[in-house]
Amino acid sequence: MAFWLINLSFVSQEKNKQILVLGLDGAGKTSVLHSLALNRVQHSEAPTQGFNAVCINTEGSQMEFLEIGGSEPFRSYWDMYLSRGLLLIFVVDSADHGRLPEAKKHLHQLIETNPIIPLVVFANKQDLGAAYHITDIHEALALSEVGNDRKMFLFGTQVTENGSEIPSAMQDAKDLIAHLAADMQ
Ligand code: G3D
Ligand code: MG
């Protein structure tokens, strides 16, 4: 498998549709994305400033992921990129109970603007003792209200020891994302 990582201070309007990776700052977007690319656990080294584009080649397909920084100044870009996104991956910190309402608000604002984009939610940091179980994350994010016509999937994920194999749920999520992306092309 080949991959490359590019940190960009801005991203031009590209032809290829991207898989958007959004969520509040600190949720684990970069860590999850780099782990999916490497098939090995890889924590992020620094908060994302701006955009982080990752291209992953799997058997027979190539997927372009675009993470947009989750801190306040970058959230204004979320809507702009969502309108031409293939899929939305939304990452939440399952142990950050206090910010789940904020994550829910942003998620619902996002999906309102795009009634068909498939949604894959990563309930991340499942390794932490305080993490909500995925059934509680489903409720906290009101995922039953994301729209009847939309494909929606929820995975519990964790990025633990650097270099270890990614958990099977993350491998399953990667396979599913490849299928969804192929369907949407
Ligand atoms: P972001 O891209 O959503 O902003 P990052 O988030 O990937 O930069 O991760 C934010 C912090 O959470 C990082 O720690 C990272 O190591 C940690 N993290 C990410 N995923 C997990 C996880 O599943 N479990 C645990 N325990 N920690 C995780 P630092 O210390 O660098 O801030
Ligand atoms: Mg990041």
Side-chain angles (χ1 to χ4, degrees):
M1 183 199 71
F3 73 95
W4 61 92
L5 312 173
I6 321 162
N7 280 304
L8 301 170
S9 55
F10 85 102
V11 173
S12 59
Q13 300 284 314
E14 292 172 29
K15 271 187 297 178
N16 288 346
K17 286 197 159 186
Q18 287 151 326
I19 298 169
L20 290 175
V21 184
L22 304 179
L24 302 183
D25 49 298
K29 298 178 295 298
T30 304
S31 303
V32 166
L33 199 44
H34 289 185
S35 302
L36 289 177
L38 291 164
N39 279 333
R40 291 268 156 198
V41 167
Q42 177 67 56
H43 282 267
S44 78
E45 281 163 14
T48 307
Q49 301 298 334
F51 299 84
N52 178 30
V54 175
C55 189
I56 302 180
N57 288 327
T58 55
E59 283 160 36
S61 72
Q62 185 186 66
M63 299 187 281
E64 285 181 31
F65 293 80
L66 180 66
E67 172 195 353
I68 306 178
S71 57
E72 203 66 59
F74 300 110
R75 286 190 206 150
S76 54
Y77 292 102
W78 287 8
D79 283 353
M80 195 195 306
Y81 282 91
L82 192 75
S83 61
R84 58 194 188 86
L86 264 186
L87 299 180
L88 171 61
I89 299 178
F90 195 82
V91 185
V92 292
D93 177 343
S94 309
D96 193 353
H97 305 172
R99 292 179 83 200
L100 280 171
E102 190 187 353
K104 171 190 164 188
K105 185 185 88 181
H106 287 296
L107 171 63
H108 284 263
Q109 279 173 352
L110 275 168
I111 58 179
E112 262 172 32
T113 65
N114 188 328
I116 55 156
I117 192 168
L119 171 66
V120 179
V121 177
F122 283 169
N124 194 38
K125 306 200 187 183
Q126 286 292 311
D127 56 300
L128 297 180
Y132 275 156
H133 188 264
I134 53 172
T135 50
D136 300 317
I137 295 291
H138 192 279
E139 196 177 326
L141 296 179
L143 293 179
S144 55
E145 296 166 20
V146 300
N148 292 335
D149 297 331
R150 187 193 310 278
K151 290 180 184 161
M152 195 282 291
F153 304 87
L154 171 61
F155 291 90
T157 58
Q158 57 190 61
V159 178
T160 50
E161 199 186 329
N162 269 343
S164 58
E165 234 175 86
I166 55 170
S168 58
M170 284 175 76
Q171 187 59 56
D172 292 346
K174 185 173 168 179
D175 293 344
L176 174 91
I177 289 164
H179 276 110
L180 290 172
D183 282 355
M184 294 291 288
Q185 293 279 9

